Amino acid sequence: MTTRAEQMAKTHQAILDTARTLFLKNGYDATSTRDIANAIGITQPALYHHFKDKEVIFLAVITTVGAEIRAGIEAIQARTDWSPLEQLTEVSLLLTHKHPADVFTLIHSSFKALTHEHIRELGGVFATDYVQPIQTVFEQPAMNLQSGVTPQMATNFYITSLSPLFNSFHRIGDPHADERTRVQTLLKMILYGVASESEN
């Protein structure tokens, strides 16, 4: 027989799992606590017994996903037999598989609805679990960044250039190519540019 404590823990986890699916697919604004409660089959008051409000649930979801992203990037970077392009390919696939929609838009678009305290916390998660691990990939000597380009600059450019991977509206490369090929097409443009400098 299930105890009350076990049932409470099960409901708590169900809220987080369901909220994760809805937030990552639809975004913060388009997901309500009613949506989450209805998807689980509980009342909103029952949901609020576990979490104070939607912001707290969202922060818990992004914190969980962020930790998974950080661990994944660290594992990828440990593969010293992979080239920088191969490592970035795996990082990009990790991001798109964990986030059905553009992760960076998801996080930053939520800021307008959050308290200052939660914005700081979410900004910290983004910096620690996304930006810093990605920057370590660009800090490797094998990356061979152009003169004047810092790992921080490269990281910011990479992050803001990923949107074609999260939607089909302006997808880059052959639409019939497999996912890895499409990812590498975009990454080669990010890493090596779209044109050669004129020698004149």
Side-chain angles (χ1 to χ4, degrees):
M1 184 176 175
T2 305
T3 66
R4 175 169 170 77
E6 289 172 336
Q7 185 57 49
M8 291 286 286
K10 184 177 178 181
T11 301
H12 188 91
Q13 191 59 50
I15 292 169
L16 287 175
D17 292 343
T18 302
R20 173 175 179 155
T21 299
L22 294 175
F23 280 136
L24 296 189
K25 180 182 177 184
N26 303 324
Y28 183 84
D29 286 339
T31 302
S32 67
T33 53
R34 184 182 300 278
D35 295 331
I36 298 168
N38 287 346
I40 303 168
I42 62 175
T43 64
Q44 278 184 288
L47 181 146
Y48 289 130
H49 183 73
H50 292 267
F51 294 95
K52 184 177 73 171
D53 55 32
K54 186 170 87 165
E55 289 191 34
V56 173
I57 303 173
F58 184 68
L59 192 61
V61 166
I62 299 302
T63 299
T64 299
V65 179
E68 294 172 7
I69 293 292
R70 184 180 71 249
I73 295 175
E74 288 172 353
I76 290 165
Q77 195 183 0
R79 290 293 304 268
T80 54
D81 56 319
W82 284 350
S83 69
L85 177 60
E86 289 170 324
Q87 287 191 354
L88 274 181
T89 299
E90 293 302 321
V91 170
S92 303
L93 290 169
L94 173 69
L95 291 171
T96 55
H97 290 180
K98 290 286 184 186
H99 291 273
D102 185 345
V103 49
F104 313 110
T105 301
L106 166 73
I107 291 175
H108 288 110
S109 66
S110 71
F111 284 2
K112 64 182 181 295
L114 303 181
T115 64
H116 292 303
E117 178 187 350
H118 287 151
I119 289 172
R120 280 197 303 273
E121 288 186 52
L122 202 55
V125 169
F126 186 63
T128 301
D129 294 343
Y130 292 83
V131 177
Q132 289 174 8
I134 291 170
Q135 185 169 317
T136 62
V137 177
F138 284 101
E139 287 171 350
Q140 299 173 96
M143 187 60 75
N144 197 28
L145 295 176
Q146 291 187 32
S147 176
V149 177
T150 66
Q152 183 179 17
M153 290 166 60
T155 300
N156 291 338
F157 181 63
Y158 166 78
I159 288 172
T160 56
S161 300
L162 288 181
S163 62
L165 300 183
F166 292 98
N167 64 74
S168 57
F169 181 70
H170 58 297
R171 189 165 281 172
I172 301 294
D174 182 355
H176 304 295
D178 62 77
E179 183 181 27
R180 182 174 297 276
T181 300
R182 286 189 283 105
V183 167
Q184 289 196 338
T185 297
L186 178 63
L187 289 178
K188 287 174 182 176
M189 293 172 68
I190 293 172
L191 290 175
Y192 312 126
V194 297
S196 299
E197 272 191 88
S198 171
E199 294 182 4
N200 296 334

